[in-house]
Amino acid sequence: MSTTSSSNGLLPTSMSGRHDDMEAGGSARAQDEHHEQLEHDPDDPFDLDNTKNASAQSLRRWRQAALVLNASRRFRYTLDLNKEEHYENRRRMIRAHAQVIRAALLFKLAGEQQISAVGSSPSTPSASTGNFDIDLEKLVSMTRNQNISTLQQYGGVKGVAEKLKTNMEQGIQEDEKEVTDRKSAFGSNTYPKKKGKSFYMFLWEAWQDLTLIILIIAAVTSLALGIKTEGLKEGWLDGGSIAFAVLLVIIVTAVSDYRQSLQFQNLNDEKRNIQLEVMRGGRTVKISIYDVVAGDVIPLRIGDQVPADGVLISGHSLAIDESSMTGESKIVHKDQKSPFLMSGCKVADGVGNMLVTGVGINTEWGLLMASISEDTGEETPLQVRLNGLATFIGIVGLTVALVVLVALLVRYFTGTTQDSSGATQFVKGTTSISDIVDDCVKIFTIAVTIVVVAVPEGLPLAVTLTLAYSMRKMMADKALVRRLSACETMGSATTICSDKTGTLTLNQMTVVETYAGGSKMDVADNPSGLHPKLVALISEGVAQNTTGNVFHPKDGGEVEISGSPTEKAILLWAYKLGMKFDTIRSESAIIHAFPFNSEKKRGGVAVLRGDSEVFIHWKGAAEIVLACCTQYMDSNGTVQPIDSQKEFFRLAIDAMAKNSLRCVAIACRTQELNKVPKEQEDLDKWSLPEDELTLLAIVGIKDPCRPGVREAVRICTSAGVKVRMVTGDNLQTAKAIALECGILSSDTEAVEPTIIEGKVFRELSEKEREQVAKRITVMGRSSPNDKLLLVQALRKNGDVVAVTGDGTNDAPALHEADIGLSMGISGTEVAKESSDIIILDDNFASVVKVVRWGRSVYANIQKFIQFQLTVNVAALIINVVAAMSSGDVPLKAVQLLWVNLIMDTLGALALATEPPTDHLMHRTPVGRREPLITNIMWRNLLVQSLYQVAVLLVLNFAGLNILGLSQDSNHAHAVEVKNTMIFNAFVMCQIFNEFNARKPDEMNVFSGVTKNPLFVAIVGVTFVLQILIVTFLGEFAHTVALSWQLWLASIVIGLVSWPLAVVGKLIPVPRTPMSVYFKKPFRRYRASRSA
């Protein structure tokens, strides 16, 4: 893709997905798309746009194409392509043999005497069931076998509840001892986790590197020959030093990998720790899924995960997706004929209450979770591309190593290679076999060491390092990453489609305006001007048609209201009008319910009063409910035709919406008892009548904008990220909030299609939707399907789309988007499982922080690439030129291994953990196909590499004269001093260049350095270790102690890289990426071959 260097230069300006009418840079788009097409290469296995929904074939293809020295380490964090098959096999086995598997697990746990479970309490119960009247094994058997006859023998769900000492209305007592007793009798809702890899496993995997194995073999050979020819005192040094250096590399690598695995493990624990609501002591309380106990009463709503095995107490239109346990993707309806619920399943529709009968490993879900390990693996697009880059560099490195090996062997056997004292190393017929083998092993060791340095095995792994660091830090910024790839893809996001409620607003709702009795009430919750009959109907409609709850503490404290923010606001309003929640619920019964539906924007219940009267209550979007009304109840409690007042109510809704209020209407109607189905089966299929309704009230609910959201939107806009609002609210309400948040800049902008209704967008053709989607800023009255259509249209236009969602029906849009962002507080479990990142505080400002982190991941990887390639190029050129010309290399095997440690592990740690800066949000999004090595990086890399190569080659060929060593009587010592100086100057160059790599596009490379103590520590430790190696590890590291003058000269050589970097940044770079020029000949060649 063609790029325009941004003001800062590191991340090139990408206009992909940006539009003429909405955002800057539209004129460049056609050119960018031309280069996008040029860049796309279907024959390149590493060219993956998105790994989120990539096929197993494409994932397998890049792995087979990668040049890998250590497969177990390189592919540690990639997706297990056999995971689904393994999961399915375990699920089938557990379904068939649950009792045997559970018994075996209990036996194993009893033998270990400790449970490695989430949480501290044991997950297996004692044999005793304490004060409860039901045996654990019978309870588990009844639920697992879904045995209706056993349930009836116990007296149905009511009988089981009595045996478990549970009040079906109020749940168990909210008492710590009560919970502890139940855990002792029936177990806790935890399962033994499969133990993670030990540190020794990481040591073993680090050891699997092919080049390190070859080096160890070479070291052992050298050790044996050295001891044989020179004796133990002197002979062990060559081989022993290499062996020690290899072991040091292995240990440092293993420690780094082990720390990463612990970070991923902690994040997995966070992901599994679901928070849910239970009824305890008559009130709704939020607890961890691990704290659920047998006997708990749990309300179930659409999108929830069933947290344990249990029996349905009551429900309306309750449908469960059991595919996670049965493998059959069909929805199962639950009622009194089919009341058993399985842990791990999802609520697909309806509402209900369940009684928990089995927890932890007493459920099939618990057994399944205990038998499979958490798979943290997945490819990320950047990881795949870096594997491609590492493969290319590795091939070059192998070629160079082979050239060096051949050159050194030819020079050696032709007698042109001399040792440090100037004597010819190989003389035909004179040199002993053991000396020849020893010399050849040394030559071979140098070649293999060049491969170690040249093949950047740590490059793709730097992605996991920076992602692990970023994910841990993002937790503090209220974002829980579920998919690694989303973290980096956020850096490429060009548009964010955000919900309104709870994301842009606070989700703290209060009723501030009310229209009831045919007019506006002076005080929204003052019943004095309303007829008692009207108040009674409103109270019944609110109390029965809700998933919320009103709890009156026994000590007479303040009333506690639970439910969704909208439900809580309406319940509080009705409570202030005089609603007696518990009384109403006891005097009338719900015979059928239509739970609130985001497609229909309303929900209703049929309520039976006594034995004769049936009332149907509806509540929902004001204009939709109003359209179904033919009457309204006036302030005298009389029902009047609505025709003359309908326009008044419409204007009232518009006025409230313009004041950014959410408008909800409450209506009802009567229904003859003989028209209500008698049989439960018919009742379940009955559609509640929704015509000829009587309007009771319209309320306006205020949900203020979040503080700081306007600034967050401004930051996104300046960063080239378009913010779009997609809401189910009235278009006028959406417009008012959009203006308040800064998504719309003025009223004049609020014209179609910039602001559009979901219904209008839905009815357009696919081609029209793609055209209109570019211009949409606000979509009101949208359904989840409208959101999905918008995401699809935007992605076809080339946008990288991030979408927020909280409802179950948002799951398809979250799955379809490049990045799905679910809400941690208001989001359902289904939405969270479909998302890539969970925004823990539901705040839009946290979404913007995720964008910053995404860009930081990409920027940090580029810093590391620039640093590593500079080392690679310099080390390779120096050794190749020296080997070809003199038959010896100035940088020895041990020294190269130390450089490799600086470059691979320590360099990655230092540069991949740079915190994000505001500077990142002053540039446009990173395009999907931006080259990993930008022109800015090529410039910096070449400037530093050429400088290092020039200085070190001059030292290599003229060092004896320059350093005043040519007159030294001990020629061997003079050569050692020169080579040590080359090694020391080379390392100093890397230490100082590490600072340059921090800010490839800025003059001041020291800004913010104190904010990254790890960077400072690693640079400091590297410097100290270099002093120790040069000064004290003489023969071991092939070095000699340098004078202070030579140390000063080494530091000055390294120091020059700073002003050189400043000068280099003044050199202009072309707009078109270098990679375009590199790839053109290959493309033309392939095209001509295929033609």
Side-chain angles (χ1 to χ4, degrees):
M1 185 194 295
S2 176
T3 58
T4 307
S5 293
S6 57
S7 59
N8 46 66
L10 174 61
L11 299 182
T13 301
S14 161
M15 299 300 177
S16 170
R18 305 185 70 201
H19 315 300
D20 294 354
D21 54 336
M22 298 309 264
E23 302 163 59
S27 58
R29 187 162 185 203
Q31 186 184 355
D32 287 339
E33 285 180 340
H34 165 72
H35 282 301
E36 176 118 20
Q37 290 165 0
L38 184 66
E39 286 267 332
H40 180 63
D41 186 359
D43 296 323
D44 183 357
F46 302 104
D47 192 358
L48 278 182
D49 258 357
N50 193 345
T51 57
K52 183 173 176 178
N53 299 313
S55 67
Q57 183 183 355
S58 60
L59 296 180
R60 200 171 273 114
R61 187 171 165 233
W62 81 257
R63 296 183 200 184
Q64 290 167 347
L67 173 68
V68 180
L69 299 176
N70 186 345
S72 60
R73 185 167 180 249
R74 178 81 74 88
F75 297 136
R76 179 184 297 136
Y77 294 113
T78 52
L79 185 69
D80 179 3
L81 298 178
N82 299 317
K83 177 187 170 185
E84 288 298 322
E85 186 183 346
H86 174 65
Y87 179 92
E88 184 63 20
N89 289 340
R90 292 300 305 174
R91 187 192 59 73
R92 282 179 184 161
M93 187 185 292
I94 285 165
R95 291 240 78 194
H97 309 291
Q99 198 163 347
V100 176
I101 292 167
R102 177 171 167 265
L105 188 57
L106 285 170
F107 181 78
K108 179 188 171 189
L109 295 176
E112 289 177 354
Q113 288 294 307
Q114 59 177 4
I115 310 302
S116 173
V118 180
S120 56
S121 53
S123 61
T124 50
S126 59
S128 165
T129 52
N131 300 319
F132 304 100
D133 302 330
I134 190 165
D135 180 65
L136 167 66
E137 294 302 324
K138 290 178 180 174
L139 194 61
V140 170
S141 173
M142 176 191 75
T143 313
R144 185 173 59 239
N145 299 325
Q146 302 199 357
N147 196 322
I148 288 280
S149 61
T150 306
L151 178 64
Q152 288 169 347
Q153 284 172 20
Y154 288 137
V157 66
K158 187 178 179 183
V160 173
E162 285 173 1
K163 290 179 186 297
L164 287 170
K165 302 200 179 330
T166 297
N167 183 319
M168 289 200 298
E169 296 293 324
Q170 301 197 345
I172 65 171
Q173 289 305 307
E174 197 177 358
D175 177 80
E176 199 171 320
K177 185 179 181 302
E178 172 92 1
V179 173
T180 306
D181 288 346
R182 289 176 185 273
K183 284 184 178 180
S184 299
F186 301 105
S188 68
N189 202 26
T190 59
Y191 51 85
K193 285 192 300 182
K194 276 207 161 185
K195 289 178 182 175
K197 287 181 184 175
S198 68
F199 175 68
Y200 299 107
M201 280 303 296
F202 285 95
L203 274 176
W204 174 250
E205 286 184 0
W207 169 263
Q208 303 300 304
D209 191 304
L210 180 63
T211 50
L212 295 183
I213 292 169
I214 292 170
L215 281 177
I216 284 287
I217 294 168
V220 170
T221 308
S222 179
L223 193 67
L225 289 168
I227 292 170
K228 182 185 174 187
T229 54
E230 299 175 40
L232 182 62
K233 190 175 180 183
E234 298 290 331
W236 73 275
L237 283 169
D238 279 349
S241 59
I242 294 170
F244 179 78
V246 169
L247 289 173
L248 184 65
V249 169
I250 289 169
I251 290 166
V252 173
T253 302
V255 169
S256 174
D257 291 350
Y258 183 60
R259 285 182 71 253
Q260 273 183 61
S261 77
L262 292 179
Q263 288 176 0
F264 284 127
Q265 198 172 310
N266 292 337
L267 287 164
N268 284 330
D269 290 343
E270 286 289 339
K271 282 191 276 187
R272 284 190 290 254
N273 189 10
I274 297 167
Q275 299 295 309
L276 54 95
E277 290 183 341
V278 299
M279 289 293 293
R280 286 188 179 172
R283 66 198 292 196
T284 307
V285 295
K286 207 155 201 174
I287 63 169
S288 163
I289 191 170
Y290 303 130
D291 295 329
V292 170
V293 292
D296 262 326
V297 173
I298 299 178
L300 297 175
R301 301 186 189 96
I302 185 169
D304 287 350
Q305 177 175 312
V306 179
D309 281 1
V311 184
L312 182 67
I313 297 171
S314 63
H316 298 286
S317 310
L318 188 65
I320 305 292
D321 177 3
E322 294 185 345
S323 58
S324 60
M325 289 310 300
T326 63
E328 297 172 17
S329 54
K330 66 176 183 179
I331 305 300
V332 181
H333 292 273
K334 295 293 176 180
D335 50 29
Q336 297 309 318
K337 291 180 181 175
S338 175
F340 293 103
L341 297 157
M342 282 193 291
S343 178
C345 300
K346 304 289 187 302
V347 180
D349 199 6
V351 291
N353 287 327
M354 71 174 280
L355 174 70
V356 174
T357 57
V359 293
I361 61 166
N362 298 319
T363 69
E364 288 183 14
W365 177 256
L367 292 174
L368 182 61
M369 290 297 101
S371 66
I372 59 172
S373 55
E374 181 71 20
D375 182 21
T376 53
E378 65 159 308
E379 282 87 335
T380 74
L382 194 52
Q383 194 178 350
V384 174
R385 291 174 70 192
L386 281 172
N387 270 286
L389 181 63
T391 298
F392 173 73
I393 297 168
I395 290 168
V396 172
L398 280 171
T399 307
V400 169
L402 192 62
V403 168
V404 170
L405 178 64
V406 171
L408 290 176
L409 287 173
V410 168
R411 288 188 66 90
Y412 178 79
F413 285 109
T414 54
T416 53
T417 305
Q418 297 176 332
D419 60 21
S420 56
S421 61
T424 302
Q425 282 189 303
F426 174 78
V427 178
K428 192 174 181 182
T430 305
T431 309
S432 66
I433 295 293
S434 62
D435 284 344
I436 292 171
V437 172
D438 193 29
D439 291 337
C440 287
V441 166
K442 285 176 183 173
I443 290 169
F444 184 69
T445 302
I446 289 166
V448 173
T449 311
I450 288 172
V451 175
V452 173
V453 176
V455 179
E457 193 72 7
L459 192 55
L461 296 168
V463 182
T464 10
L465 180 65
T466 191
L467 285 174
Y469 165 78
S470 301
M471 286 165 71
R472 185 165 50 87
K473 292 291 185 183
M474 283 166 75
M475 278 293 288
D477 280 344
K478 304 297 179 188
L480 173 61
V481 179
R482 296 188 75 256
R483 287 179 61 87
L484 281 175
S485 58
C487 191
E488 77 186 38
T489 309
M490 250 340 236
S492 302
T494 57
T495 186
I496 299 171
C497 298
S498 174
D499 284 340
K500 175 187 79 69
T501 307
T503 309
L504 297 168
T505 62
L506 281 168
N507 221 1
Q508 294 173 2
M509 301 195 187
T510 46
V511 175
V512 294
E513 279 190 42
T514 303
Y515 286 79
S519 62
K520 182 178 179 179
M521 291 171 62
D522 294 333
V523 181
D525 50 17
N526 184 359
S528 58
L530 300 178
H531 195 276
K533 184 181 178 184
L534 177 56
V535 173
L537 279 171
I538 290 172
S539 297
E540 184 180 72
V542 172
Q544 292 287 23
N545 190 14
T546 183
T547 53
N549 187 44
V550 178
F551 174 71
H552 296 273
K554 291 176 183 176
D555 58 7
E558 196 173 322
V559 67
E560 294 177 21
I561 297 174
S562 60
S564 70
T566 309
E567 294 278 18
K568 283 160 75 174
I570 293 172
L571 283 167
L572 181 61
W573 167 75
Y575 173 75
K576 289 179 178 177
L577 286 179
M579 174 187 71
K580 305 283 188 240
F581 187 82
D582 292 332
T583 307
I584 292 168
R585 305 264 296 208
S586 62
E587 288 177 352
S588 57
I590 299 171
I591 55 173
H592 189 55
F594 177 84
F596 179 84
N597 184 296
S598 54
E599 295 283 346
K600 287 200 164 188
K601 307 288 182 194
R602 59 190 182 273
V605 292
V607 175
L608 179 64
R609 289 184 183 173
D611 295 325
S612 55
E613 252 185 323
V614 174
F615 268 78
I616 293 167
H617 292 278
W618 284 97
K619 179 179 72 184
E623 70 271 28
I624 293 174
V625 174
L626 179 64
C628 301
C629 293
T630 55
Q631 305 169 107
Y632 75 97
M633 186 170 282
D634 64 17
S635 55
N636 298 317
T638 309
V639 174
Q640 304 284 359
I642 202 169
D643 297 341
S644 60
Q645 287 288 91
K646 210 155 198 173
E647 191 58 28
F648 166 76
F649 288 124
R650 278 203 197 97
L651 291 172
I653 292 167
D654 275 348
M656 287 192 285
K658 282 174 183 172
N659 288 327
S660 66
L661 302 184
R662 170 176 278 191
C663 303
V664 176
I666 298 163
C668 72
R669 62 164 285 170
T670 56
Q671 180 77 359
E672 294 88 345
L673 191 59
N674 60 4
K675 290 187 178 177
V676 177
K678 299 287 187 293
E679 297 297 322
Q680 185 63 45
E681 202 170 315
D682 297 328
L683 195 61
D684 289 341
K685 295 173 185 173
W686 181 43
S687 295
L688 289 180
E690 51 189 40
D691 56 342
E692 297 181 5
L693 302 183
T694 300
L695 182 68
L696 302 176
I698 299 173
V699 295
I701 302 170
K702 180 71 176 170
D703 184 15
C705 265
R706 284 184 179 274
V709 78
R710 192 178 183 90
E711 175 62 12
V713 170
R714 187 198 63 74
I715 290 169
C716 278
T717 306
S718 68
V721 182
K722 172 76 178 169
V723 181
R724 294 175 162 89
M725 181 201 288
V726 184
T727 177
D729 271 353
N730 180 304
L731 205 57
Q732 293 296 332
T733 307
K735 174 186 162 185
I737 292 285
L739 286 165
E740 200 177 333
C741 294
I743 293 172
L744 288 174
S745 55
S746 65
D747 258 328
T748 54
E749 206 184 335
V751 292
E752 197 173 299
T754 303
I755 174 167
I756 194 170
E757 268 203 353
K759 183 184 176 185
V760 176
F761 181 71
R762 190 187 316 148
E763 288 169 353
L764 298 172
S765 68
E766 188 176 334
K767 196 71 182 170
E768 288 171 328
R769 281 200 297 269
E770 285 176 35
Q771 293 300 315
V772 169
K774 302 173 187 177
R775 301 171 62 190
I776 291 173
T777 302
V778 176
M779 185 185 285
R781 281 289 175 245
S782 71
S783 68
N785 193 52
D786 298 333
K787 188 187 280 189
L788 176 62
L789 292 172
L790 177 63
V791 170
Q792 289 170 337
L794 288 169
R795 291 192 73 209
K796 282 178 183 172
N797 283 327
D799 274 297
V800 179
V801 185
V803 169
T804 70
D806 52 13
T808 303
N809 294 338
D810 286 329
L814 290 168
H815 187 263
E816 177 73 19
D818 295 284
I819 314 105
L821 304 159
S822 64
M823 299 298 110
I825 299 170
S826 59
T828 63
E829 281 310 309
V830 171
K832 288 175 188 175
E833 286 205 2
S834 299
S835 69
D836 306 304
I837 298 173
I838 301 172
I839 304 300
L840 298 173
D841 61 354
D842 291 17
N843 191 344
F844 184 77
S846 298
V847 176
V848 179
K849 288 176 184 173
V850 173
V851 175
R852 265 167 53 109
W853 276 108
R855 293 185 177 196
S856 176
V857 166
Y858 200 90
N860 286 351
I861 292 301
Q862 287 188 310
K863 292 170 190 177
F864 180 58
I865 291 172
Q866 181 181 306
F867 173 69
Q868 188 170 48
L869 290 191
T870 305
V871 186
N872 277 40
V873 170
L876 287 178
I877 293 175
I878 292 160
N879 271 6
V880 169
V881 173
M884 301 290 280
S885 58
S886 65
D888 194 16
V889 288
L891 297 172
K892 306 299 180 189
V894 175
Q895 296 168 358
L896 282 173
L897 285 170
W898 167 235
V899 169
N900 184 64
L901 199 60
I902 296 173
M903 183 179 71
D904 251 19
T905 309
L906 298 180
L909 270 173
L911 293 169
T913 55
E914 280 279 306
T917 61
D918 293 337
H919 189 58
L920 292 167
M921 298 304 282
H922 298 156
R923 51 179 73 155
T924 46
V926 184
R928 285 180 190 272
R929 300 185 184 282
E930 297 293 359
L932 283 172
I933 310 173
T934 66
N935 289 357
I936 299 287
M937 292 166 66
W938 276 118
R939 179 194 64 197
N940 297 345
L941 190 156
L942 291 172
V943 165
Q944 294 294 333
S945 296
L946 291 174
Y947 165 69
Q948 290 179 21
V949 168
V951 170
L952 299 180
L953 286 180
V954 166
L955 282 175
N956 187 56
F957 294 111
L960 293 176
N961 293 323
I962 293 169
L963 301 174
L965 299 169
S966 55
Q967 304 305 317
D968 195 326
S969 57
N970 187 342
H971 181 71
H973 179 263
V975 171
E976 283 180 344
V977 171
K978 180 201 74 171
N979 285 346
T980 303
M981 181 66 188
I982 291 171
F983 168 57
N984 204 38
F986 184 60
V987 172
M988 289 301 121
C989 283
Q990 309 324 318
I991 290 173
F992 285 99
N993 192 40
E994 208 155 351
F995 285 89
N996 291 331
R998 284 186 69 247
K999 305 285 179 183
D1001 51 351
E1002 294 177 55
M1003 293 297 184
N1004 182 7
V1005 297
F1006 306 107
S1007 65
V1009 73
T1010 54
K1011 292 179 181 175
N1012 188 358
L1014 186 60
F1015 178 88
V1016 177
I1018 285 172
V1019 169
V1021 167
T1022 306
F1023 189 75
V1024 170
L1025 287 174
Q1026 180 65 14
I1027 293 171
L1028 294 174
I1029 288 168
V1030 170
T1031 310
F1032 300 109
L1033 294 183
E1035 292 181 337
F1036 187 83
H1038 297 282
T1039 59
V1040 291
L1042 298 177
S1043 66
W1044 70 268
Q1045 292 96 336
L1046 291 181
W1047 265 104
L1048 185 61
S1050 300
I1051 292 169
V1052 168
I1053 289 169
L1055 197 61
V1056 170
S1057 68
W1058 285 351
L1060 190 67
V1062 173
V1063 173
K1065 285 166 188 172
L1066 299 174
I1067 302 170
V1069 294
R1071 288 162 58 102
T1072 307
M1074 300 287 284
S1075 56
V1076 171
Y1077 299 117
F1078 291 151
K1079 288 183 179 180
K1080 270 183 181 176
F1082 293 106
R1083 295 250 167 86
R1084 284 173 185 155
Y1085 173 72
R1086 269 208 296 261
S1088 63
R1089 287 287 300 271
S1090 58

